[in-house]
Coordinates of all heavy atoms in Angstrom, one line a residue:
M275 N -6.1 -17.3 -6.0 CA -5.5 -16.1 -6.7 C -4.5 -15.6 -5.7 O -4.9 -15.3 -4.5 CB -6.6 -15.1 -7.1 CG -6.0 -13.9 -7.8 SD -7.3 -12.9 -8.4 CE -6.5 -11.7 -9.2
G276 N -3.4 -15.2 -6.2 CA -2.3 -14.7 -5.3 C -2.4 -13.2 -5.2 O -3.4 -12.5 -5.8
R277 N -1.6 -12.6 -4.5 CA -1.5 -11.2 -4.3 C -1.1 -10.5 -5.6 O -0.3 -11.1 -6.4 CB -0.6 -10.7 -3.2 CG -1.1 -11.1 -1.8 CD -0.1 -10.7 -0.8 NE -0.6 -10.9 0.5 CZ -0.6 -9.9 1.4 NH1 -0.1 -8.7 1.1 NH2 -1.2 -10.1 2.5
H278 N -1.5 -9.3 -5.8 CA -1.2 -8.5 -6.9 C 0.3 -7.9 -6.7 O 0.7 -7.7 -5.6 CB -2.1 -7.3 -7.2 CG -3.4 -7.7 -7.6 ND1 -3.8 -8.1 -8.8 CD2 -4.6 -7.8 -6.9 CE1 -5.1 -8.4 -8.9 NE2 -5.6 -8.2 -7.7
D279 N 1.1 -8.0 -7.7 CA 2.4 -7.3 -7.6 C 2.3 -5.9 -8.3 O 2.5 -5.7 -9.4 CB 3.4 -8.2 -8.5 CG 4.8 -7.7 -8.3 OD1 5.0 -6.6 -7.8 OD2 5.7 -8.5 -8.6
I280 N 1.9 -5.0 -7.4 CA 1.6 -3.6 -7.9 C 2.8 -3.0 -8.5 O 2.7 -2.4 -9.6 CB 1.0 -2.8 -6.7 CG1 -0.3 -3.4 -6.3 CG2 0.9 -1.3 -7.1 CD1 -0.9 -2.8 -5.0
Q281 N 3.9 -3.1 -7.9 CA 5.2 -2.6 -8.5 C 5.4 -3.1 -9.9 O 5.7 -2.4 -10.8 CB 6.4 -2.8 -7.6 CG 6.4 -2.0 -6.3 CD 6.6 -0.5 -6.5 OE1 5.6 0.3 -6.8 NE2 7.8 -0.1 -6.6
A282 N 5.4 -4.5 -10.0 CA 5.6 -5.1 -11.3 C 4.5 -4.6 -12.4 O 4.9 -4.3 -13.5 CB 5.7 -6.6 -11.2
D283 N 3.3 -4.6 -11.9 CA 2.3 -4.3 -12.8 C 2.4 -2.8 -13.3 O 2.2 -2.5 -14.4 CB 0.9 -4.4 -12.1 CG 0.5 -5.9 -11.9 OD1 1.0 -6.7 -12.5 OD2 -0.5 -6.1 -11.1
A284 N 2.7 -1.9 -12.4 CA 2.9 -0.5 -12.7 C 4.1 -0.4 -13.6 O 4.0 0.4 -14.6 CB 3.2 0.3 -11.4
Q285 N 5.2 -1.1 -13.5 CA 6.3 -1.1 -14.4 C 5.9 -1.5 -15.8 O 6.3 -0.9 -16.8 CB 7.4 -1.9 -13.8 CG 8.7 -1.8 -14.7 CD 9.3 -0.4 -14.6 OE1 9.2 0.3 -13.6 NE2 9.9 0.0 -15.8
R286 N 5.1 -2.6 -15.9 CA 4.7 -3.1 -17.1 C 3.8 -2.1 -17.9 O 4.0 -1.9 -19.1 CB 3.9 -4.5 -17.0 CG 4.8 -5.6 -17.1 CD 4.1 -7.0 -17.3 NE 2.8 -7.1 -16.4 CZ 2.9 -7.6 -15.2 NH1 3.9 -7.9 -14.6 NH2 1.7 -7.6 -14.5
V287 N 2.9 -1.5 -17.2 CA 2.0 -0.5 -17.8 C 2.9 0.7 -18.2 O 2.7 1.2 -19.4 CB 1.0 0.1 -16.7 CG1 0.3 1.3 -17.3 CG2 0.0 -1.0 -16.5
F288 N 3.9 1.2 -17.5 CA 4.7 2.3 -17.9 C 5.5 2.0 -19.1 O 5.6 2.7 -20.1 CB 5.7 2.6 -16.7 CG 6.7 3.7 -17.1 CD1 6.3 5.1 -17.1 CD2 8.0 3.3 -17.4 CE1 7.2 6.0 -17.4 CE2 8.8 4.3 -17.8 CZ 8.5 5.6 -17.8
E289 N 6.1 0.8 -19.1 CA 6.9 0.3 -20.3 C 6.1 0.2 -21.6 O 6.5 0.5 -22.6 CB 7.6 -1.0 -19.9 CG 8.7 -0.8 -18.9 CD 9.3 -2.2 -18.4 OE1 8.9 -3.2 -18.8 OE2 10.1 -2.0 -17.6
T290 N 4.8 -0.3 -21.4 CA 3.9 -0.5 -22.5 C 3.6 0.8 -23.1 O 3.6 1.0 -24.3 CB 2.7 -1.3 -22.1 OG1 3.0 -2.6 -21.6 CG2 1.8 -1.4 -23.2
I291 N 3.1 1.8 -22.3 CA 2.8 3.1 -22.7 C 3.9 3.9 -23.3 O 3.7 4.5 -24.3 CB 2.1 3.8 -21.5 CG1 0.7 3.2 -21.2 CG2 1.9 5.3 -21.9 CD1 0.1 3.7 -20.0
T292 N 5.1 3.9 -22.7 CA 6.2 4.7 -23.2 C 6.7 4.0 -24.6 O 7.3 4.6 -25.4 CB 7.4 4.8 -22.3 OG1 7.7 3.5 -21.8 CG2 6.9 5.6 -21.0
A293 N 6.4 2.7 -24.8 CA 6.8 2.1 -26.0 C 5.7 2.3 -27.1 O 5.8 1.8 -28.2 CB 7.0 0.6 -25.8
G294 N 4.7 3.1 -26.8 CA 3.7 3.3 -27.8 C 2.5 2.4 -27.8 O 1.7 2.4 -28.7
G295 N 2.5 1.6 -26.8 CA 1.3 0.7 -26.6 C 0.1 1.2 -25.8 O 0.1 2.4 -25.5
V296 N -0.8 0.3 -25.6 CA -2.0 0.7 -24.8 C -2.1 -0.2 -23.7 O -1.8 -1.5 -23.8 CB -3.3 0.4 -25.8 CG1 -4.6 0.6 -25.0 CG2 -3.2 1.4 -26.9
A297 N -2.5 0.2 -22.5 CA -2.8 -0.6 -21.4 C -4.3 -0.5 -20.9 O -4.8 0.6 -20.9 CB -1.8 -0.2 -20.2
I298 N -4.8 -1.6 -20.5 CA -6.1 -1.6 -19.9 C -6.1 -1.9 -18.5 O -5.4 -2.9 -18.1 CB -7.0 -2.8 -20.6 CG1 -6.9 -2.6 -22.2 CG2 -8.4 -2.7 -20.1 CD1 -7.5 -1.3 -22.7
L299 N -6.6 -1.0 -17.7 CA -6.4 -1.2 -16.2 C -7.8 -1.5 -15.6 O -8.7 -0.6 -15.7 CB -5.8 0.2 -15.6 CG -4.6 0.7 -16.4 CD1 -4.3 2.0 -15.8 CD2 -3.5 -0.3 -16.2
P300 N -7.9 -2.5 -14.9 CA -9.2 -2.9 -14.3 C -9.4 -1.9 -13.1 O -8.5 -1.5 -12.4 CB -9.0 -4.3 -13.8 CG -7.5 -4.4 -13.6 CD -6.9 -3.6 -14.6
G301 N -10.7 -1.7 -12.8 CA -11.2 -0.9 -11.7 C -12.4 -1.5 -11.0 O -12.8 -2.6 -11.4
D302 N -12.8 -0.9 -10.0 CA -14.0 -1.5 -9.2 C -15.3 -1.5 -10.0 O -16.1 -2.4 -9.9 CB -14.1 -0.7 -7.9 CG -13.1 -0.9 -6.9 OD1 -12.4 -1.9 -7.1 OD2 -12.9 -0.1 -6.0
I303 N -15.5 -0.5 -10.9 CA -16.8 -0.4 -11.6 C -16.5 -0.5 -13.1 O -17.5 -0.4 -13.9 CB -17.5 0.9 -11.3 CG1 -17.1 1.6 -10.1 CG2 -19.0 0.7 -11.3 CD1 -17.8 3.0 -10.0
G304 N -15.3 -0.5 -13.5 CA -15.1 -0.5 -15.0 C -13.6 -0.7 -15.3 O -12.9 -1.4 -14.5
Y305 N -13.2 0.0 -16.2 CA -11.8 -0.1 -16.6 C -11.2 1.3 -17.1 O -12.0 2.1 -17.4 CB -11.5 -1.1 -17.7 CG -12.1 -0.8 -19.0 CD1 -11.4 -0.1 -20.0 CD2 -13.4 -1.2 -19.2 CE1 -12.0 0.2 -21.1 CE2 -14.0 -0.8 -20.4 CZ -13.2 -0.2 -21.4 OH -13.9 0.3 -22.6
G306 N -10.0 1.4 -17.1 CA -9.4 2.6 -17.7 C -8.5 2.1 -18.8 O -7.9 1.1 -18.8
A307 N -8.4 2.9 -19.9 CA -7.5 2.5 -21.0 C -6.5 3.7 -21.1 O -6.8 4.8 -21.1 CB -8.3 2.4 -22.3
C308 N -5.2 3.3 -21.1 CA -4.1 4.3 -21.1 C -3.3 4.1 -22.4 O -3.0 3.1 -22.8 CB -3.3 4.0 -20.0 SG -4.0 4.0 -18.4
A309 N -3.0 5.3 -22.9 CA -2.1 5.5 -24.1 C -1.5 6.9 -24.0 O -2.0 7.8 -23.4 CB -2.9 5.3 -25.4
S310 N -0.3 7.0 -24.8 CA 0.4 8.3 -24.7 C 0.7 8.9 -26.0 O 1.4 9.9 -26.1 CB 1.7 8.1 -23.9 OG 2.6 7.3 -24.6
S311 N 0.0 8.4 -27.1 CA 0.2 9.0 -28.3 C -1.1 9.0 -29.1 O -2.0 8.1 -28.8 CB 1.3 8.4 -29.1 OG 0.8 7.1 -29.6
S312 N -1.3 9.8 -30.1 CA -2.5 9.8 -30.9 C -2.6 8.5 -31.6 O -3.7 7.9 -31.9 CB -2.5 11.0 -31.8 OG -1.5 11.0 -32.7
D313 N -1.5 7.9 -32.1 CA -1.5 6.6 -32.8 C -2.0 5.6 -31.9 O -2.8 4.7 -32.3 CB -0.2 6.2 -33.4 CG 0.3 7.1 -34.5 OD1 -0.5 7.8 -35.2 OD2 1.5 7.3 -34.7
A314 N -1.5 5.5 -30.7 CA -2.0 4.4 -29.7 C -3.5 4.7 -29.4 O -4.2 3.7 -29.2 CB -1.2 4.5 -28.4
L315 N -3.9 5.9 -29.3 CA -5.4 6.2 -29.0 C -6.2 5.8 -30.2 O -7.2 5.2 -30.0 CB -5.6 7.7 -28.7 CG -5.1 8.2 -27.4 CD1 -5.1 9.7 -27.4 CD2 -5.8 7.6 -26.2
Q316 N -5.6 6.0 -31.4 CA -6.3 5.6 -32.6 C -6.6 4.0 -32.6 O -7.7 3.6 -32.8 CB -5.5 6.0 -33.8 CG -5.9 5.3 -35.1 CD -6.8 6.1 -35.9 OE1 -6.9 7.3 -35.8 NE2 -7.3 5.5 -37.0
R317 N -5.5 3.3 -32.3 CA -5.6 1.9 -32.3 C -6.6 1.4 -31.1 O -7.4 0.4 -31.3 CB -4.3 1.2 -32.0 CG -3.3 1.3 -33.1 CD -2.0 0.5 -32.9 NE -1.4 0.5 -31.7 CZ -0.5 1.4 -31.3 NH1 -0.1 2.4 -32.3 NH2 0.0 1.4 -30.1
L318 N -6.6 2.0 -30.1 CA -7.5 1.8 -29.0 C -9.0 1.9 -29.3 O -9.8 1.1 -29.1 CB -7.2 2.7 -27.7 CG -8.2 2.5 -26.6 CD1 -8.1 1.1 -25.9 CD2 -7.8 3.6 -25.5
F319 N -9.3 3.1 -29.9 CA -10.7 3.3 -30.3 C -11.1 2.5 -31.5 O -12.3 2.2 -31.5 CB -10.9 4.8 -30.5 CG -10.9 5.6 -29.1 CD1 -9.9 6.4 -28.9 CD2 -11.9 5.4 -28.3 CE1 -9.9 7.1 -27.7 CE2 -11.9 6.0 -27.0 CZ -10.9 6.9 -26.8
V320 N -10.3 2.3 -32.4 CA -10.7 1.3 -33.5 C -11.0 -0.1 -32.9 O -12.0 -0.7 -33.3 CB -9.5 1.2 -34.5 CG1 -9.8 0.0 -35.4 CG2 -9.4 2.5 -35.3
A321 N -10.1 -0.5 -31.9 CA -10.4 -1.9 -31.3 C -11.8 -1.8 -30.5 O -12.4 -2.8 -30.6 CB -9.3 -2.2 -30.4
K322 N -12.0 -0.7 -29.9 CA -13.3 -0.6 -29.2 C -14.5 -0.5 -30.1 O -15.7 -0.5 -29.6 CB -13.3 0.6 -28.2 CG -12.3 0.3 -27.1 CD -12.4 1.5 -26.1 CE -13.9 1.6 -25.6 NZ -14.1 2.4 -24.5
R323 N -14.3 -0.1 -31.4 CA -15.3 0.2 -32.4 C -16.2 1.4 -31.8 O -17.4 1.4 -32.0 CB -16.1 -1.0 -32.7 CG -15.4 -2.1 -33.3 CD -16.2 -3.4 -33.6 NE -15.5 -4.4 -34.1 CZ -15.7 -5.6 -34.2 NH1 -17.0 -6.0 -33.8 NH2 -14.9 -6.5 -34.6
R324 N -15.5 2.4 -31.4 CA -16.2 3.5 -30.8 C -16.4 4.5 -31.9 O -15.6 4.9 -32.6 CB -15.2 4.2 -29.8 CG -15.8 5.4 -29.0 CD -16.5 4.8 -27.8 NE -17.0 5.9 -27.0 CZ -17.8 5.9 -26.0 NH1 -18.3 4.7 -25.7 NH2 -18.2 6.8 -25.3
A325 N -17.7 5.0 -32.1 CA -18.1 5.9 -33.1 C -17.5 7.3 -32.9 O -17.4 7.7 -31.8 CB -19.6 5.9 -33.2
P326 N -17.1 8.0 -34.0 CA -16.5 9.3 -33.9 C -17.4 10.3 -33.2 O -16.9 11.2 -32.5 CB -16.3 9.7 -35.3 CG -16.4 8.5 -36.1 CD -17.3 7.5 -35.4
H327 N -18.8 10.2 -33.4 CA -19.6 11.2 -32.7 C -19.7 11.1 -31.2 O -20.2 12.1 -30.5 CB -21.0 11.2 -33.3 CG -21.8 10.0 -33.0 ND1 -21.5 8.7 -33.7 CD2 -22.7 9.7 -32.1 CE1 -22.4 7.9 -33.1 NE2 -23.1 8.4 -32.2
K328 N -19.3 10.0 -30.7 CA -19.3 9.8 -29.2 C -18.2 10.6 -28.5 O -17.1 10.7 -29.0 CB -19.2 8.3 -28.8 CG -20.3 7.5 -29.4 CD -20.8 6.5 -28.5 CE -22.0 5.8 -29.0 NZ -22.5 4.9 -28.1
R329 N -18.5 11.0 -27.3 CA -17.5 11.8 -26.6 C -16.6 10.8 -25.8 O -17.0 9.7 -25.5 CB -18.1 12.7 -25.5 CG -18.9 13.8 -26.3 CD -19.5 14.8 -25.3 NE -20.3 15.7 -26.0 CZ -19.7 17.0 -26.3 NH1 -18.5 17.3 -26.0 NH2 -20.5 17.9 -26.9
H330 N -15.3 11.2 -25.6 CA -14.4 10.4 -25.0 C -13.7 11.2 -23.9 O -13.1 12.2 -24.2 CB -13.3 9.9 -26.0 CG -13.8 9.4 -27.3 ND1 -14.4 8.1 -27.3 CD2 -14.1 9.9 -28.4 CE1 -14.8 7.8 -28.5 NE2 -14.6 9.0 -29.2
A331 N -13.8 10.7 -22.7 CA -13.0 11.3 -21.6 C -11.6 11.0 -21.7 O -11.2 9.8 -21.8 CB -13.6 10.9 -20.3
M332 N -10.7 12.1 -21.8 CA -9.3 11.8 -22.0 C -8.6 12.7 -21.0 O -9.0 13.9 -20.8 CB -8.8 12.1 -23.4 CG -9.4 11.0 -24.4 SD -8.6 11.5 -26.0 CE -9.8 10.8 -27.1
V333 N -7.4 12.3 -20.5 CA -6.5 13.1 -19.8 C -5.2 12.9 -20.5 O -4.7 11.8 -20.7 CB -6.4 12.7 -18.3 CG1 -5.4 13.5 -17.6 CG2 -7.8 12.7 -17.6
G334 N -4.6 14.1 -20.8 CA -3.3 13.9 -21.6 C -2.6 15.2 -21.5 O -3.0 16.3 -21.0
T335 N -1.6 15.3 -22.4 CA -0.8 16.6 -22.5 C -1.7 17.6 -23.3 O -2.5 17.2 -24.1 CB 0.5 16.4 -23.2 OG1 0.2 15.9 -24.5 CG2 1.3 15.3 -22.5
Y336 N -1.2 18.8 -23.2 CA -1.9 19.9 -24.0 C -1.7 19.7 -25.5 O -2.6 19.8 -26.4 CB -1.3 21.2 -23.6 CG -1.9 22.4 -24.3 CD1 -3.2 22.8 -24.0 CD2 -1.3 23.0 -25.4 CE1 -3.8 24.0 -24.7 CE2 -1.8 24.0 -26.1 CZ -3.1 24.5 -25.8 OH -3.6 25.6 -26.5
E337 N -0.5 19.2 -25.9 CA -0.1 18.8 -27.2 C -1.1 17.8 -27.8 O -1.6 17.9 -28.9 CB 1.3 18.5 -27.4 CG 2.3 19.6 -27.1 CD 2.5 20.0 -25.6 OE1 2.1 19.0 -24.8 OE2 2.9 21.0 -25.3
L338 N -1.3 16.7 -27.0 CA -2.2 15.7 -27.4 C -3.7 16.2 -27.6 O -4.3 15.8 -28.6 CB -2.2 14.5 -26.5 CG -2.9 13.3 -26.9 CD1 -2.4 12.7 -28.2 CD2 -2.8 12.2 -25.8
H339 N -4.0 16.9 -26.7 CA -5.4 17.6 -26.8 C -5.6 18.4 -28.1 O -6.5 18.2 -28.7 CB -5.6 18.5 -25.6 CG -6.6 19.6 -25.8 ND1 -7.9 19.5 -26.0 CD2 -6.2 21.0 -26.0 CE1 -8.4 20.7 -26.3 NE2 -7.5 21.6 -26.3
R340 N -4.5 19.2 -28.4 CA -4.6 20.0 -29.6 C -4.7 19.1 -30.8 O -5.2 19.5 -31.9 CB -3.4 21.0 -29.7 CG -3.5 22.1 -28.7 CD -4.7 23.0 -28.8 NE -4.7 23.5 -30.2 CZ -4.9 24.8 -30.5 NH1 -5.2 25.7 -29.6 NH2 -5.0 25.3 -31.8
E341 N -4.0 18.0 -30.8 CA -3.9 17.1 -32.0 C -5.2 16.3 -32.2 O -5.6 16.2 -33.4 CB -2.8 16.1 -31.8 CG -2.6 15.3 -33.0 CD -1.3 14.4 -32.8 OE1 -0.5 14.6 -31.9 OE2 -1.3 13.4 -33.6
V342 N -6.0 16.0 -31.2 CA -7.2 15.1 -31.3 C -8.5 15.7 -31.2 O -9.4 15.1 -31.6 CB -7.0 13.8 -30.5 CG1 -5.7 13.1 -30.9 CG2 -7.1 14.1 -29.0
H343 N -8.6 16.8 -30.5 CA -9.9 17.3 -30.0 C -10.4 18.3 -31.1 O -9.7 19.1 -31.6 CB -9.9 17.9 -28.6 CG -9.8 16.8 -27.6 ND1 -9.0 16.9 -26.6 CD2 -10.5 15.6 -27.4 CE1 -9.1 15.8 -25.8 NE2 -10.0 15.0 -26.3
V344 N -11.8 18.3 -31.2 CA -12.5 19.2 -32.0 C -13.1 20.3 -31.1 O -13.9 20.1 -30.3 CB -13.7 18.5 -32.8 CG1 -14.4 19.6 -33.6 CG2 -13.1 17.5 -33.6
L345 N -12.6 21.6 -31.3 CA -13.1 22.7 -30.4 C -13.3 23.9 -31.3 O -12.5 24.2 -32.3 CB -12.0 23.1 -29.4 CG -11.9 22.1 -28.3 CD1 -10.8 22.6 -27.3 CD2 -13.1 21.8 -27.5
G346 N -14.3 24.7 -31.0 CA -14.4 26.1 -31.6 C -13.5 27.0 -30.9 O -12.8 26.7 -29.9
S347 N -13.3 28.2 -31.5 CA -12.3 29.1 -30.9 C -12.7 29.5 -29.4 O -11.8 29.6 -28.6 CB -12.2 30.4 -31.7 OG -13.5 31.0 -31.8
Q348 N -13.9 29.7 -29.1 CA -14.3 30.1 -27.7 C -13.9 28.9 -26.8 O -13.4 29.2 -25.7 CB -15.8 30.4 -27.6 CG -16.2 30.9 -26.3 CD -17.6 31.3 -26.1 OE1 -18.4 31.0 -27.0 NE2 -18.0 31.9 -25.1
E349 N -14.3 27.7 -27.2 CA -14.0 26.6 -26.3 C -12.4 26.4 -26.2 O -12.0 26.1 -25.0 CB -14.5 25.3 -26.9 CG -16.1 25.2 -26.8 CD -16.7 26.0 -28.0 OE1 -16.1 26.4 -28.9 OE2 -18.0 25.9 -28.1
Q350 N -11.7 26.6 -27.2 CA -10.3 26.5 -27.1 C -9.7 27.6 -26.1 O -8.7 27.3 -25.4 CB -9.6 26.6 -28.4 CG -8.0 26.4 -28.4 CD -7.8 25.0 -27.9 OE1 -8.2 24.0 -28.4 NE2 -6.9 24.9 -26.9
E351 N -10.2 28.8 -26.2 CA -9.9 29.9 -25.3 C -10.0 29.5 -23.8 O -9.3 29.8 -22.9 CB -10.6 31.1 -25.6 CG -10.1 31.8 -26.9 CD -10.8 33.1 -27.1 OE1 -11.1 33.9 -26.1 OE2 -11.1 33.5 -28.3
I352 N -11.1 28.7 -23.5 CA -11.5 28.3 -22.2 C -10.5 27.3 -21.7 O -9.9 27.4 -20.7 CB -12.8 27.7 -22.1 CG1 -14.0 28.8 -22.3 CG2 -13.1 27.0 -20.8 CD1 -15.4 28.3 -22.5
V353 N -10.2 26.3 -22.6 CA -9.2 25.3 -22.3 C -7.8 26.0 -22.0 O -7.0 25.7 -21.1 CB -9.1 24.2 -23.4 CG1 -7.9 23.3 -23.2 CG2 -10.4 23.4 -23.4
D354 N -7.4 26.9 -22.9 CA -6.2 27.6 -22.8 C -6.1 28.4 -21.5 O -5.1 28.5 -20.8 CB -5.9 28.6 -23.9 CG -5.6 27.9 -25.2 OD1 -5.4 26.6 -25.2 OD2 -5.6 28.6 -26.3
A355 N -7.2 29.0 -21.1 CA -7.3 29.8 -19.8 C -7.0 28.9 -18.6 O -6.3 29.2 -17.7 CB -8.6 30.5 -19.7
I356 N -7.6 27.7 -18.7 CA -7.5 26.8 -17.5 C -6.1 26.2 -17.6 O -5.4 26.1 -16.5 CB -8.5 25.6 -17.7 CG1 -9.9 26.3 -17.5 CG2 -8.3 24.6 -16.7 CD1 -11.0 25.3 -17.9
T357 N -5.6 25.7 -18.7 CA -4.4 24.9 -18.7 C -3.1 25.7 -18.8 O -2.0 25.5 -18.2 CB -4.4 23.9 -19.9 OG1 -4.6 24.6 -21.1 CG2 -5.5 22.8 -19.7
I358 N -3.2 26.8 -19.6 CA -2.0 27.6 -19.8 C -1.9 28.7 -18.9 O -0.9 28.9 -18.1 CB -1.9 28.2 -21.3 CG1 -1.8 26.9 -22.3 CG2 -0.8 29.1 -21.4 CD1 -1.9 27.4 -23.8
D359 N -3.0 29.5 -18.9 CA -3.0 30.7 -18.0 C -3.0 30.4 -16.5 O -2.2 30.9 -15.7 CB -4.1 31.7 -18.3 CG -4.2 32.1 -19.7 OD1 -3.1 32.1 -20.5 OD2 -5.3 32.6 -20.1
A360 N -3.8 29.5 -16.1 CA -3.9 29.1 -14.7 C -3.0 27.9 -14.3 O -2.8 27.6 -13.1 CB -5.3 28.7 -14.3
G361 N -2.5 27.2 -15.3 CA -1.5 26.1 -15.0 C -2.2 24.9 -14.4 O -1.6 24.1 -13.6
L362 N -3.5 24.7 -14.6 CA -4.3 23.6 -14.1 C -4.4 22.5 -15.1 O -4.5 22.7 -16.3 CB -5.6 24.1 -13.6 CG -5.7 25.2 -12.5 CD1 -7.0 25.7 -12.3 CD2 -5.1 24.6 -11.3
P363 N -4.6 21.3 -14.6 CA -4.9 20.1 -15.5 C -6.3 20.3 -16.1 O -7.2 20.8 -15.4 CB -4.8 18.9 -14.7 CG -5.0 19.4 -13.3 CD -4.5 20.8 -13.3
S364 N -6.6 19.8 -17.2 CA -7.9 19.9 -17.8 C -8.3 18.6 -18.4 O -8.2 18.4 -19.6 CB -8.1 21.0 -18.8 OG -9.3 21.1 -19.4
P365 N -8.9 17.6 -17.7 CA -9.4 16.4 -18.4 C -10.6 16.8 -19.3 O -11.2 17.9 -19.1 CB -10.0 15.6 -17.3 CG -9.5 16.2 -16.0 CD -9.1 17.6 -16.2
S366 N -10.7 16.2 -20.4 CA -11.7 16.6 -21.3 C -12.5 15.5 -21.8 O -12.2 14.3 -21.8 CB -11.0 17.3 -22.5 OG -10.1 16.4 -23.1
S367 N -13.7 15.9 -22.4 CA -14.6 14.9 -23.0 C -15.2 15.6 -24.2 O -16.2 16.4 -24.0 CB -15.7 14.5 -22.0 OG -16.7 13.7 -22.6
R368 N -14.6 15.3 -25.3 CA -15.0 16.0 -26.5 C -14.9 15.1 -27.8 O -14.2 14.1 -27.7 CB -14.1 17.2 -26.8 CG -14.1 18.2 -25.8 CD -13.1 19.3 -26.0 NE -13.3 20.4 -25.1 CZ -12.8 20.4 -23.8 NH1 -12.2 19.3 -23.3 NH2 -13.0 21.4 -23.0
P369 N -15.6 15.3 -28.8 CA -15.5 14.6 -30.1 C -14.0 14.7 -30.6 O -13.4 15.7 -30.2 CB -16.5 15.3 -31.0 CG -17.4 15.9 -30.2 CD -16.7 16.4 -29.0
S370 N -13.6 13.8 -31.3 CA -12.2 13.9 -31.8 C -12.1 13.9 -33.3 O -13.1 13.5 -33.9 CB -11.3 12.7 -31.2 OG -12.0 11.5 -31.6
T371 N -11.0 14.3 -33.8 CA -10.8 14.4 -35.3 C -10.1 13.1 -35.8 O -10.7 12.4 -36.5 CB -9.9 15.6 -35.7 OG1 -8.7 15.5 -34.9 CG2 -10.7 16.9 -35.4
R372 N -8.9 12.9 -35.4 CA -8.1 11.8 -35.9 C -8.5 10.5 -35.4 O -8.5 9.4 -36.1 CB -6.6 11.9 -35.6 CG -5.9 12.9 -36.5 CD -4.4 12.8 -36.2 NE -3.9 11.5 -36.5 CZ -2.9 11.0 -36.0 NH1 -2.1 11.7 -35.2 NH2 -2.5 9.8 -36.3
I373 N -8.9 10.4 -34.2 CA -9.3 9.2 -33.5 C -10.5 8.5 -34.0 O -11.4 9.2 -34.4 CB -9.3 9.4 -32.1 CG1 -7.9 10.0 -31.7 CG2 -9.6 8.1 -31.3 CD1 -7.4 9.7 -30.4
I374 N -10.4 7.2 -34.1 CA -11.6 6.4 -34.4 C -11.9 6.4 -35.9 O -13.0 6.8 -36.3 CB -12.9 6.9 -33.7 CG1 -12.6 7.2 -32.3 CG2 -14.0 5.8 -33.7 CD1 -13.6 8.1 -31.7
R375 N -11.0 6.1 -36.7 CA -11.1 5.9 -38.1 C -11.0 4.4 -38.3 O -9.9 3.9 -37.9 CB -10.1 6.7 -38.8 CG -10.1 8.1 -38.6 CD -11.1 8.8 -39.4 NE -10.9 10.3 -39.3 CZ -11.8 11.0 -38.6 NH1 -12.9 10.6 -38.0 NH2 -11.6 12.3 -38.5
S376 N -11.9 3.8 -38.8 CA -11.8 2.4 -39.0 C -11.9 1.9 -40.4 O -12.0 2.7 -41.3 CB -12.9 1.6 -38.2 OG -14.2 2.1 -38.5

């Protein structure tokens, strides 16, 4: 096996995601799945056959979070305080609404 071409791999991942696709990234103990739209996330979770009641760890934009996550008003206020008021990133693990419809 030859050396990895990290620059070319990163470019392919970037191009795939920005074109609305999904990228699967290998890791030491598992993998990461990357997408940048709710439609791409939908396709990813349908392909994985992931049940809607299962939690999904996601990192994304605030807009994407608002589109796909199920939160009560108190929970949403907490996310808003972290992401909007404090300007911090907020990875999340919550059930989703749109995602995982098969």
Side-chain angles (χ1 to χ4, degrees):
M275 179 173 183
R277 290 181 170 231
H278 293 284
D279 185 347
I280 295 171
Q281 289 290 89
D283 290 345
Q285 185 64 39
R286 270 195 315 277
V287 167
F288 177 79
E289 290 169 0
T290 298
I291 292 171
T292 56
V296 173
I298 308 297
L299 309 173
D302 289 340
I303 343 175
Y305 66 92
C308 302
S310 64
S311 71
S312 59
D313 290 336
L315 288 170
Q316 166 98 12
R317 291 191 313 273
L318 173 66
F319 286 113
V320 167
K322 288 183 60 166
R323 297 181 185 165
R324 187 84 172 171
H327 68 280
K328 297 220 176 184
R329 294 183 180 265
H330 310 282
M332 295 182 199
V333 178
T335 64
Y336 180 79
E337 292 77 19
L338 184 60
H339 150 73
R340 290 299 302 226
E341 186 175 343
V342 301
H343 289 131
V344 177
L345 292 178
S347 61
Q348 183 178 13
E349 292 84 0
Q350 186 60 56
E351 285 183 38
I352 292 169
V353 171
D354 289 350
I356 293 168
T357 59
I358 295 172
D359 300 345
L362 297 171
S364 178
S366 58
S367 179
R368 295 175 175 81
S370 59
T371 53
R372 276 193 62 202
I373 303 211
I374 321 161
R375 305 277 189 249
S376 49

